[in-house]
Amino acid sequence: MTPDPYGVRPDSAVRRPASIKDVAAAAGVSPTTVSHVLSGNRPVNEQTAARVRSVVNRLGYVPASLARSLQAGATSVIGLLIPDISNTFFAELAKGAEDAAHDLGYGMILCNTEFDADREDRYLGMIRSRFIDGMVYASGSPPSRRRLEALMGKFPIALADEEVEGLEGALIATADHEAGGRLVGEHLRQLGHRRALMLTGPRALKSSVARAQGFVRAFRGEVVERVGDFKEASGHRLVARLLEEGGLPCTAVFAANDLMAFGALTALTEAGLSVPGDVSVVGFDDIRAASLAHPPLTTVHQPAYDVGRTATAQLLQYVSRGEVPPASRHTLPVELKVRGSTAPPAR
Amino acid sequence: MTPDPYGVRPDSAVRRPASIKDVAAAAGVSPTTVSHVLSGNRPVNEQTAARVRSVVNRLGYVPASLARSLQAGATSVIGLLIPDISNTFFAELAKGAEDAAHDLGYGMILCNTEFDADREDRYLGMIRSRFIDGMVYASGSPPSRRRLEALMGKFPIALADEEVEGLEGALIATADHEAGGRLVGEHLRQLGHRRALMLTGPRALKSSVARAQGFVRAFRGEVVERVGDFKEASGHRLVARLLEEGGLPCTAVFAANDLMAFGALTALTEAGLSVPGDVSVVGFDDIRAASLAHPPLTTVHQPAYDVGRTATAQLLQYVSRGEVPPASRHTLPVELKVRGSTAPPAR
DNA sequence: TTGTAAGCGTTATCAC
DNA sequence: GTGATAACGCTTACAA
């Protein structure tokens, strides 16, 4: 077999995938023309174009997006940084983000941090090394402000779900946590409750504080607060402890998320109390299990999908023009889902 | 201000991020040396190295990973193709995949298809355009064999969770669906059940068929089969129809996934039947809601995380060496979780 | 110990 | 309507 001076063989015996040069050589045109046939960026003689296309098919040529990106100075890929994709809230958020990215022809790298700072650092590094064009940041915990500070304003970042203290000048999409708390307060008040136990999330989270504030404001009754950590176990522990210490000081429990509400529910049931007969319970988030539980949980529906979608769409609006997004806030409405876990207080 | 012949300014007024040339010029060395200082690929004089490092810091230089990838011929990014990230099964699988990718320094693009063929095509295109080094494929529905065929064997792909008919020569990690069905069959038989209703998934899915086969084989009683689609509504519909048509022909229901089991549960409750008093119900998957439901659902725990992790780790083992993975099967063990929805049949 | 130059595979600019 | 050539920003022979 004679050597192949151009490194091009027509059959599939070639290991290296065909490049634009291979196509050009085989079609007897320049790489420039091949490029334009494929991109339509300038008119090409129909005969030439047809010939090029046929070679493209024969060689199975697909442009290397890497080279394209290098030339373009952008990758059409963004990152989504979240703490835990197996948490349904973040999964919904991710779905919204992915949809928005897909709509604009962007890919999305899943940056699951497991609350690990090193891991978060590594992923944020992708933006510095310009492998991604931007980042949707939903850390879900009091975020590492220092790390973000270095990036925001210089790189395209959008905050989703959770604000970052001290980073007011940001693009952010979040649910209306305060209104959610208020809806619960009004609901319980209307049912006739006057004394409630509020299980909050970590104090460092603005969303957590907002939920509690909205609730206290609208409930206008006596509220005992206990600080949890958004995990089922903490809801269980806090309620169980109060029961041991001489009974619940209230007729209703508002947990700042569904997981803690489930923990509370279990603790109450274990103590022989019935829900909502003896105590009403309300959650926040409306995760899938909420409607499936027994009794079905009254809770605040968070538009997780929309939060992800909005943050991403906003981010891309600027990224696609090569701009760093300005400060801008999008507060999304929440909805109270009244189910079986709330009722008027026992007399 | 005098013009800057190298296009380099020490302050942050420069728009364009610093390149390796900028660093080299500012440090008075060649780009080669800068490269080697950073990569450690060849010894560099300590003084020179220190000078380079200081310039790197001052300019905030971060190597463009794009250029690096182009040169290396690989991106250190893979794709994970799934139908629906908001489904907890795939979210868990994604978590496992992400963990495995992260461990080996790979990034992962989330390819959420929503069962949409065009979307799947677009994402598979990333592998042809070599933007990703490989793909973990978990389509969750009878996959588009023709599309995959064109890729498998030529590109690095691993199948997760679901086999693809006709593509036996693949790298695949899957749960032991057949054993899961068997465990349920044995469990119900031991409880004393002799007549069961089996709600299967789509016939085209091998996993679905395997679950049913395992069950029928181990149950050794009378089994009525109805075909569903893995959605809650179909479980509800199938059971409700049988109830209307004159009652259930059985004392136990085995649904091929938890969602359908919940649908069945609801239909039974609506008809005034108690679970497990009148009818036992078993699911498959062990999604989060399973243990939270009332009654807690007896179900088969699928190692979704491990499926994702295993498939990805296997894929990367070959990808990282630039090889296309060989045919190889990894069957992961499942576990029966006996909860409150099963009991001996009423006499 | 260091530098020069040739790639990697595109697209943009400019010229014909 | 088409083509040379120079970028994009890096790594790596090959040379000194």
Side-chain angles (χ1 to χ4, degrees):
Chain A
M1 199 191 231
T2 53
D4 182 357
Y6 296 117
V8 183
R9 282 200 174 77
D11 59 21
S12 60
V14 189
R15 284 270 170 233
R16 177 176 58 79
S19 79
I20 198 170
K21 283 187 189 170
D22 300 331
V23 175
V29 297
S30 74
T32 309
T33 297
V34 176
S35 176
H36 285 119
V37 168
L38 263 37
S39 70
N41 276 352
R42 85 180 181 192
V44 176
N45 177 295
E46 192 37 56
Q47 302 236 340
T48 319
R51 189 153 32 95
V52 168
R53 273 191 280 268
S54 117
V55 173
V56 164
N57 284 330
R58 186 158 52 82
L59 301 187
Y61 168 68
V62 179
S65 42
L66 222 52
R68 202 172 254 186
S69 296
L70 180 62
Q71 156 71 30
T75 58
S76 288
V77 175
I78 58 170
L80 171 69
L81 192 145
I82 55 179
D84 181 10
I85 188 66
S86 71
N87 175 318
T88 58
F89 174 78
F90 290 109
E92 281 288 343
L93 191 153
K95 188 170 179 173
E98 209 266 356
D99 273 354
H102 176 82
D103 285 352
L104 276 82
Y106 276 74
M108 195 183 86
I109 293 204
L110 178 60
C111 309
N112 204 57
T113 65
E114 312 278 342
F115 297 102
D116 181 276
D118 290 343
R119 206 148 160 174
E120 180 169 329
D121 274 345
R122 191 196 129 201
Y123 280 126
L124 287 175
M126 293 186 126
I127 204 170
R128 312 195 78 123
S129 71
R130 284 146 288 156
F131 193 86
I132 55 180
D133 294 346
M135 180 76 94
V136 176
Y137 185 95
S139 111
S141 67
S144 46
R145 179 178 154 193
R146 235 179 319 170
R147 241 169 284 140
L148 270 180
E149 256 174 4
L151 297 174
M152 292 201 55
K154 292 165 101 177
F155 295 95
I157 295 185
L159 267 28
D161 174 48
E162 189 64 57
E163 329 195 20
V164 178
E165 190 87 38
L167 288 181
E168 274 72 29
L171 170 57
I172 168 166
T174 173
D176 196 339
H177 302 287
E178 208 268 345
R182 228 164 42 221
L183 288 172
V184 175
E186 284 160 9
H187 173 59
L188 289 179
R189 174 162 196 88
Q190 276 168 15
L191 285 175
H193 294 272
R194 291 298 176 269
R195 296 186 321 166
L197 168 63
M198 160 101 226
L199 306 179
T200 74
R203 289 228 178 278
L205 288 182
K206 275 209 168 186
S207 60
S208 174
V209 172
R211 289 175 196 181
Q213 280 180 346
F215 176 70
V216 168
R217 201 164 296 160
F219 183 60
R220 285 183 291 142
E222 191 183 321
V223 178
V224 175
E225 278 194 33
R226 287 290 182 276
V227 178
D229 62 3
F230 280 154
K231 289 179 186 158
E232 194 169 350
S234 87
H236 186 279
R237 180 168 24 83
L238 292 170
V239 169
R241 192 175 301 163
L242 280 169
L243 287 168
E244 281 169 16
E245 290 171 356
L248 234 45
C250 62
T251 59
V253 177
F254 172 34
N257 78 344
D258 288 348
L259 252 31
M260 289 200 297
F262 284 131
L265 212 63
T266 308
L268 291 168
T269 309
E270 286 171 359
L273 292 169
S274 95
V275 175
D278 297 315
V279 184
S280 286
V281 173
V282 185
F284 205 109
D285 281 354
D286 195 20
I287 64 177
R288 157 137 226 130
S291 55
L292 255 21
H294 182 78
L297 189 67
T298 294
T299 188
V300 176
H301 178 81
Q302 259 210 96
Y305 176 91
D306 291 327
V307 168
R309 184 170 187 106
T310 305
T312 307
Q314 287 291 317
L315 176 73
L316 289 182
Q317 187 176 327
Y318 293 95
V319 166
S320 59
R321 301 190 208 132
E323 297 169 13
V324 171
S328 136
R329 156 176 287 283
H330 298 258
T331 307
L332 275 47
V334 298
E335 192 186 344
L336 180 69
K337 298 277 189 184
V338 178
R339 301 211 177 94
S341 66
T342 48
R347 318 183 118 259
Chain B
M1 200 190 233
T2 51
D4 182 356
Y6 295 117
V8 181
R9 281 198 176 79
D11 59 20
S12 60
V14 188
R15 284 271 168 231
R16 178 176 58 78
S19 80
I20 198 170
K21 281 188 190 171
D22 300 331
V23 174
V29 298
S30 74
T32 307
T33 298
V34 176
S35 174
H36 285 121
V37 168
L38 263 36
S39 71
N41 276 351
R42 87 179 179 192
V44 176
N45 176 293
E46 191 40 55
Q47 303 235 338
T48 319
R51 191 153 31 94
V52 167
R53 272 191 281 267
S54 117
V55 172
V56 164
N57 284 330
R58 186 157 54 82
L59 301 188
Y61 169 67
V62 180
S65 42
L66 220 53
R68 202 172 254 184
S69 296
L70 179 61
Q71 156 71 31
T75 58
S76 289
V77 175
I78 58 169
L80 170 70
L81 192 144
I82 55 178
D84 181 9
I85 189 67
S86 71
N87 176 319
T88 59
F89 174 77
F90 289 109
E92 280 289 342
L93 191 154
K95 188 170 178 170
E98 209 266 356
D99 274 353
H102 176 82
D103 286 351
L104 277 82
Y106 276 74
M108 195 183 85
I109 294 205
L110 178 60
C111 309
N112 204 57
T113 64
E114 311 278 342
F115 297 101
D116 181 275
D118 290 342
R119 206 149 161 173
E120 180 169 330
D121 274 344
R122 191 195 128 202
Y123 280 127
L124 286 175
M126 293 187 125
I127 204 170
R128 310 195 81 122
S129 72
R130 284 147 287 155
F131 193 86
I132 55 179
D133 294 346
M135 180 76 94
V136 176
Y137 185 95
S139 110
S141 68
S144 45
R145 178 178 156 193
R146 233 178 319 167
R147 241 169 283 140
L148 270 181
E149 256 175 4
L151 297 174
M152 292 201 56
K154 290 166 102 178
F155 294 95
I157 294 185
L159 266 28
D161 173 50
E162 189 64 58
E163 329 195 19
V164 177
E165 189 87 39
L167 288 180
E168 274 71 29
L171 169 56
I172 169 166
T174 174
D176 196 338
H177 302 288
E178 209 266 346
R182 227 163 42 221
L183 288 172
V184 174
E186 284 161 9
H187 173 58
L188 290 179
R189 175 162 194 88
Q190 276 169 16
L191 284 175
H193 293 271
R194 291 297 177 269
R195 296 186 320 165
L197 169 63
M198 161 101 224
L199 306 179
T200 74
R203 290 226 179 277
L205 288 182
K206 274 210 167 182
S207 60
S208 175
V209 172
R211 289 175 196 181
Q213 280 179 346
F215 176 71
V216 168
R217 200 164 299 159
F219 183 60
R220 286 181 292 142
E222 190 182 323
V223 178
V224 175
E225 278 195 33
R226 288 290 182 277
V227 177
D229 62 3
F230 279 154
K231 289 181 187 157
E232 195 170 347
S234 87
H236 185 280
R237 179 170 25 83
L238 291 171
V239 169
R241 190 175 303 162
L242 281 170
L243 287 168
E244 282 168 17
E245 289 171 356
L248 235 44
C250 62
T251 59
V253 178
F254 172 34
N257 77 344
D258 288 347
L259 253 31
M260 289 200 298
F262 284 131
L265 212 62
T266 309
L268 291 168
T269 308
E270 285 171 0
L273 293 169
S274 96
V275 175
D278 298 315
V279 183
S280 287
V281 174
V282 185
F284 204 111
D285 281 354
D286 193 22
I287 64 177
R288 156 140 226 127
S291 55
L292 255 21
H294 181 78
L297 189 67
T298 294
T299 188
V300 176
H301 177 80
Q302 260 210 94
Y305 176 91
D306 291 327
V307 169
R309 184 171 187 105
T310 304
T312 307
Q314 288 291 318
L315 176 73
L316 288 182
Q317 188 175 328
Y318 294 95
V319 165
S320 60
R321 301 189 209 134
E323 297 170 12
V324 172
S328 137
R329 154 176 290 280
H330 298 258
T331 308
L332 275 44
V334 298
E335 193 186 340
L336 180 68
K337 298 275 188 187
V338 178
R339 300 211 179 94
S341 66
T342 47
R347 319 185 119 258

